[in-house]
Amino acid sequence: RSPSGTASRKGGSKAGGAVRVGAAGAAWAARQRRRSGRRPLKTARRAVWAAPRTGTLQSPSQRGKPMKPISVYLHVPFCRSRCGYCGFYSGCRLSLRTPYLQKLIEAVETAPAEGREIQTVYFGGGTPTLLGTGLVTVLDALKRRWPVAADAEITVEANPGTVTPALLDALHGAGVNRLSFGLQDCKDDVLRLLGRSHTAEEGEAAVAMAKAAGFSDLSVDFMLATPGQTPEKAARLAQY
């Protein structure tokens, strides 16, 4: 979902390493441990993995010592409904959002902090915008835990129908500077086939709301090779 040079659900970063927080953290950390022999840094009931690439961490109190750049991925595993094609971890028990938000903040507050500076932040899912302004609370916790680079890219994935002008204003005001919308197609019949809960009109409205809120860095997901799609229909997506 994220272009080269950003933190993404696959763990890419434009510099330094990556810190993963949330439901996906434990499994990801276990894979990395098997590959590299390093141990994940565990917190209560989940794991946060800190993966600086090179060098030794320095205390921010040591003047003249560079901070280690890191990227942070936070997984929000909630959706209003499951799409049949989706392979990412998510569930529809929205009643768990508040306790999950609390645990996510705890994970941030206990993650390794010394000598590190955030370069990119990526809220993935699931549907992160189902946390509403809870995303601002998590972002505030990140800023308390780590210094954030002045040019840091902070991305939130969103689905049409889960954003409002008020929420987008709050996210933009908190420092979120990139949105990634899961539109998937621009025709209602294809959206129904894919099991999407929004219409093409709602997709366009969500993008328009984001622009009105001040977001200039936007991406949208479209799917290729869907049943019945022709080269002409695929070209239509490119012209959206």
Side-chain angles (χ1 to χ4, degrees), residues 34-79:
R34 289 194 296 269
R35 292 173 182 170
S36 66
R38 289 180 290 181
R39 292 184 178 181
L41 300 162
K42 291 187 177 179
T43 61
R45 298 187 180 181
R46 68 257 176 240
V48 178
W49 181 266
R53 289 182 180 174
T54 59
T56 303
L57 294 180
Q58 302 290 339
S59 169
S61 64
Q62 294 178 283
R63 294 182 181 275
K65 299 295 183 180
M67 302 286 279
K68 178 64 63 177
I70 61 171
S71 294
V72 181
Y73 173 80
L74 303 105
H75 193 70
V76 181
F78 299 105
C79 287

Side-chain angles (χ1 to χ4, degrees), residues 15-212:
V19 174
R20 293 199 173 206
V21 179
W28 187 85
R31 291 196 298 272
Q32 295 300 316
R33 179 175 54 187
R34 289 194 296 269
R35 292 173 182 170
S36 66
R38 289 180 290 181
R39 292 184 178 181
L41 300 162
K42 291 187 177 179
T43 61
R45 298 187 180 181
R46 68 257 176 240
V48 178
W49 181 266
R53 289 182 180 174
T54 59
T56 303
L57 294 180
Q58 302 290 339
S59 169
S61 64
Q62 294 178 283
R63 294 182 181 275
K65 299 295 183 180
M67 302 286 279
K68 178 64 63 177
I70 61 171
S71 294
V72 181
Y73 173 80
L74 303 105
H75 193 70
V76 181
F78 299 105
C79 287
R80 286 179 173 170
S81 61
R82 284 281 297 172
C83 298
Y85 60 83
C86 183
F88 294 112
Y89 177 78
S90 68
C92 303
R93 294 181 61 187
L94 301 186
S95 61
L96 295 177
R97 284 178 293 180
T98 296
Y100 185 82
L101 178 63
Q102 294 169 346
K103 291 298 181 181
L104 199 57
I105 293 171
E106 287 179 18
V108 169
E109 291 175 342
T110 55
E114 187 173 351
R116 305 178 184 202
E117 180 184 67
I118 292 178
Q119 301 293 310
T120 60
V121 178
Y122 195 98
F123 290 89
T127 309
T129 41
L130 284 177
L131 287 186
T133 54
L135 293 171
V136 175
T137 305
V138 177
L139 190 54
D140 287 343
L142 285 170
K143 292 175 180 178
R144 290 193 301 269
R145 190 65 178 169
W146 294 285
V148 179
D151 62 345
E153 181 181 85
I154 302 175
T155 302
V156 171
E157 289 183 354
N159 277 329
T162 67
V163 294
T164 63
L167 174 58
L168 292 172
D169 285 341
L171 294 176
H172 191 264
V176 176
N177 51 27
R178 179 173 177 263
L179 294 178
S180 178
F181 281 106
L183 301 191
Q184 312 313 344
D185 206 277
C186 57
K187 292 294 183 181
D188 287 338
D189 58 337
V190 181
L191 292 172
R192 286 191 295 270
L193 177 67
L194 295 174
R196 301 295 289 173
S197 61
H198 68 274
T199 65
E201 184 178 359
E202 288 172 332
E204 291 187 20
V207 173
M209 274 192 285
K211 291 180 178 179

